[in-house]
Amino acid sequence: MRLSSDSLSHHLSPNLADNSVVCLMAPTASGKTALAYELYDTGRYELISVDSALIYRDMTVGTAKPTATELACYPHHLVNIIDPLQSYSVAEFVNDVARLIDECHKNGKIPLLVGGTMMYYMALLDGLSPVPDSDDNVRARVEQWRQEEGISALYDYLGKVDAISHKRLNATDTQRITRAVEVYLQTNIPISEWQRQPKQALADNPNQQWHALAVMPDRPWLHARIEQRLDIMWSEGLVAEVISLLENYPLTPNLPSMRCVGYRQVLEYLVQIQHPVFEQPHLDKAQFYDAFAQPEPINVENGNQNIRTQSCITQTHVSTANDQAEAIACQQMQNKALYATRQLAKRQYTWLRKVMQLSDTVTGPATESLIQLPVITPTAAAAFADINDSQNNKLILHSFSTMEQAREYLF
């Protein structure tokens, strides 16, 4: 049963049960971290990061990651857990959170989940369909098939084994067609059948009390905060950080880590100025140049046309940025990063509204990014045991327009 916290007559902190789980959800640059630190200082909480960028080691400036000193004072679970070359699925996140929640409760602490990756929150609160992860061998076979015969061959095959998915998917949707063929070859069950199975959500555990707190600040205020944060990232050396990553890892432009906002725009800039880092023997220069052969446009929306025009401030961090063309490219990079971050915040608002609409009767369809995931492991599955009495579980939903309101509610 999901309740609006408007019906509550008490604030969280004095009456928070020992089996509580608190989700502090808000868009980028809204001040989540500062409040999380304040809550940690009370001694009641452990911090669990809900951020798909903070998971990467050596990606600090562009992710606004807490400093080493801050992490020492305010330890975060699920920060710096993989290299930029690796991937980390939503199902892996759910499994890790299930384990960490149990550990926090055993330590006498309340798990405080804080971050801005709303897809992660939806997986926790609304659940995942149990589509199994791809087998590496099957994935390799399907990829070879696609390269040899084209995506049309896979699409035709899908029509024979999974008519529902064949009808639903566009014939050019390479990613989803490939995934659907992989699932069938691996399991002999169409992905459409997997997707019809009931979803599992950690928040449905009757032995835990979940509180989902969403902060949705005024957008002009948030846009100013985003601009300030980007100024800090440029001055602290985001471009230099990306160059260092390229020097130390055999990266490709389509890795999840390199698709993070900010990093993507820096990669495009480095290609445009033909930075010598791409001559590193462990890098495939052609991949980067092909990926950014056509500069990605800034599709500025009405009301978002006040994109920054100040002089490029990354010139002090890239020695080759010394002529007019490179300065223009650098400025375009900053503009695109600002726009992309604003668009990220816009998507986060949309996800937050979806979270706040969760109820027992309206769960909403799973998005493609959620249903194409590995099956939950036994560790997480144990968290779903004995969920027959759904009335014992109450997901308390509450929204705020400022972080200060959330603070007052919590304290």
Side-chain angles (χ1 to χ4, degrees), residues 16 91 232 266 373:
L16 209 59
I232 294 172
V266 174
L373 294 167

Side-chain angles (χ1 to χ4, degrees), residues 58-59 84-85 237-252 255 258 263 266-267 270 275-284 288 317-320:
D58 297 327
M59 292 176 59
L85 294 171
L238 174 54
V239 175
E241 179 173 88
V242 176
I243 293 172
S244 178
L245 290 169
L246 291 167
E247 290 174 338
N248 290 286
Y249 293 98
L251 300 171
T252 63
L255 282 168
M258 292 297 99
Y263 293 86
V266 174
L267 284 178
L270 294 174
H275 195 281
V277 71
F278 295 111
E279 304 299 333
Q280 295 281 334
H282 59 264
L283 297 176
D284 186 344
F288 289 93
H317 300 281
V318 183
S319 61
T320 58

